[in-house]
Each structure stands twice: as C-alpha cells, then as structure tokens.
Amino acid sequence: VSYPADPNAVPADPLGSVTFAGTPSNPPTTIQLTTHFARTVFLDNQNNLVQAPSTTTVTLDANSNPAYGQQQSVDVAVAGYAGGPAPGGSITVTVDGGNPQTRPTNVNGFQTFGFGSLSVGSHNVVASYSGDNNYLPSTGNLTLTVSMANTLFQVNPVPPYNYGMTSAVYITFQTSGNQVPPTGSVTYQIDNGSPTTVPVTSNPTQAVLQLPVLNAGTHTITWSYSGDGNFNAVGNQSIQVNVNQS
C-alpha cells in the first residue's frame, strides 16, 4: 500500500485493511487490501476520501466550427478529483476512426490536437486517456461539423469590342489550403434573355461564358454558380460589356 504525504494516512498491514478516521462530513472508512491490489488514498479539497486509481472525465472542445478547407484544432482536458494531482499519461485522438494522434498530457492534464482540412459534414472525434498510477483510463467524444466553404472567384473584365465580333467572359474559381477545386456549373443570361448553362472546367478551374454577336451598345450579363458538395452557390452576379459601332 502507498500513502500520500498526508497526516490522515495511517500505517496498515498490506494483507489486512486500513482504516481512516472520520471527519465531520465523513464517517470512518475501512479499505481491504490484497497482495494484488494495493491502494493509494487521498482526501480531496472537500475532505472526501478518494481511492486511487480514481475515475477521470475527458472533455473535448472545438476551437471553432470550421468551413471546408480550414485547419481545425480540438482541446482535450482530462479532469481527476478536485484538489488532486493533474492526470499524467497520454491522450490519443482519432477522427472517424482514422489514424490516431497520441500526445502526453501537459502539467494540467490538457492537450491540443490539430487536424488538416476535413470533408464537409459531421465527424466523430474520440479522445482516449491512457490512465496513470492515480487515475483510471477514460474516453470522451465530440461531433465536429464542417460547413461548406464560400466560393471565391474572379471575373476577367471584357474590353469593348466592335459590332460583328464575338467575345467571352471568363470566371476563374479559386481555392485555398488543401481544398479540392470547385465543380458544378454556371448559368448566365444576356440582357435577361434565355439562360445558358456551361460547366466549370478544371486546369484551369473556370467557366467560359460565350457571347454571340451583339448589337452596338451596353449589355448586361447576369450569372450564377450552382455550387457543389464543398462550395456554396453564388447568385445574382452581373457584368457589363460594351459593343462599339463598327
């Protein structure tokens, strides 16, 4: 049997039992000892008797609700009994049962884990605490929801051109980090005419809005992007083109 540096600890036969004198809030307590199960006993800061190994609680906290492509981290805290030593050992974290990350707890029983870009949707983050001489293993989990990303794009301006010629509007879609480029389609109208739908192509990631021969004057091209599984739709965009008299 091991005893803390505490005046409440008393000697005992390791094959018998140990009795702790009561306090105003706790009656005397007797703990049986065996050759295979020694006990470490503490009083917490409320004068409650605590036997080691004691239970623990694992709490996970997401630093933000990420959008697709953003880096994400989760704080994991292991709590023992009030007034006791900080849990030692290690914490192992997995996302959706994937490759584990293992790190030792810090002096406060705490650790932060970072993840790369996660796919859109809900992800199950599980943190498992290893336990140590004072504390039992335990597990906690968190549902992390990744939202769709806002769509970034650039529209190349169309310089004025002469009547009788054709032109095109180029919309280039942009990504950041480890994002997969957008897919989907763009639908456009010229002067509120009939809609035309074109795909978003790859290498480069863009949509090309072909303009037929237009009358001389100023024309308004309105367009919208459909979105896909990772990127939000874009609507109510417009660009003007000027056609000169020939």
Side-chain angles (χ1 to χ4, degrees):
V1 64
S2 58
Y3 300 99
D6 187 296
N8 292 288
V10 298
D13 178 351
L15 297 180
S17 63
V18 60
T19 299
F20 285 79
T23 68
S25 60
N26 291 280
T29 302
T30 299
I31 302 171
Q32 298 297 321
L33 304 174
T34 71
T35 56
H36 299 293
F37 189 30
R39 294 288 182 89
T40 301
V41 184
F42 303 89
L43 289 179
D44 67 14
N45 60 4
Q46 300 297 320
N47 284 328
N48 296 311
L49 193 64
V50 179
Q51 301 179 33
S54 176
T55 57
T56 52
T57 301
V58 175
T59 303
L60 292 81
D61 181 38
N63 291 327
S64 64
N65 291 317
Y68 171 65
Q70 293 180 336
Q71 299 294 310
Q72 174 62 32
S73 62
V74 171
D75 296 331
V76 182
V78 182
Y81 61 87
S90 61
I91 300 170
T92 299
V93 168
T94 60
V95 180
D96 299 329
N99 294 330
Q101 297 185 52
T102 300
R103 295 181 182 177
T105 60
N106 66 12
V107 293
N108 297 313
F110 179 90
Q111 190 55 263
T112 298
F113 293 83
F115 312 111
S117 176
L118 299 175
S119 60
V120 172
S122 297
H123 300 271
N124 186 33
V125 183
V126 177
S128 300
Y129 169 59
S130 65
D132 63 9
N133 291 335
N134 296 321
Y135 294 106
L136 293 168
S138 58
T139 301
N141 72 291
L142 170 74
T143 298
L144 182 64
T145 301
V146 178
S147 61
M148 294 170 64
N150 290 329
T151 302
L152 303 177
F153 59 88
Q154 181 177 355
V155 180
N156 290 348
V158 179
Y161 60 97
N162 293 331
Y163 171 70
M165 299 178 61
T166 61
S167 187
V169 176
Y170 291 84
I171 304 172
T172 302
F173 294 88
Q174 301 163 331
T175 60
S176 63
N178 295 322
Q179 290 177 335
V180 175
T183 58
S185 61
V186 169
T187 298
Y188 69 101
Q189 295 173 278
I190 303 173
D191 297 329
N192 294 318
S194 299
T196 301
T197 300
V198 296
V200 175
T201 61
S202 58
N203 297 320
T205 306
Q206 65 180 12
V208 180
L209 317 185
Q210 298 289 348
L211 305 180
V213 174
L214 299 174
N215 293 330
T218 299
H219 300 271
T220 299
I221 291 84
T222 57
W223 64 273
S224 60
Y225 166 60
S226 65
D228 62 11
N230 295 321
F231 293 92
N232 290 315
V234 177
N236 300 320
Q237 303 295 311
S238 65
I239 182 174
Q240 291 188 327
V241 297
N242 294 308
V243 180
N244 300 322
Q245 292 180 337
S246 58

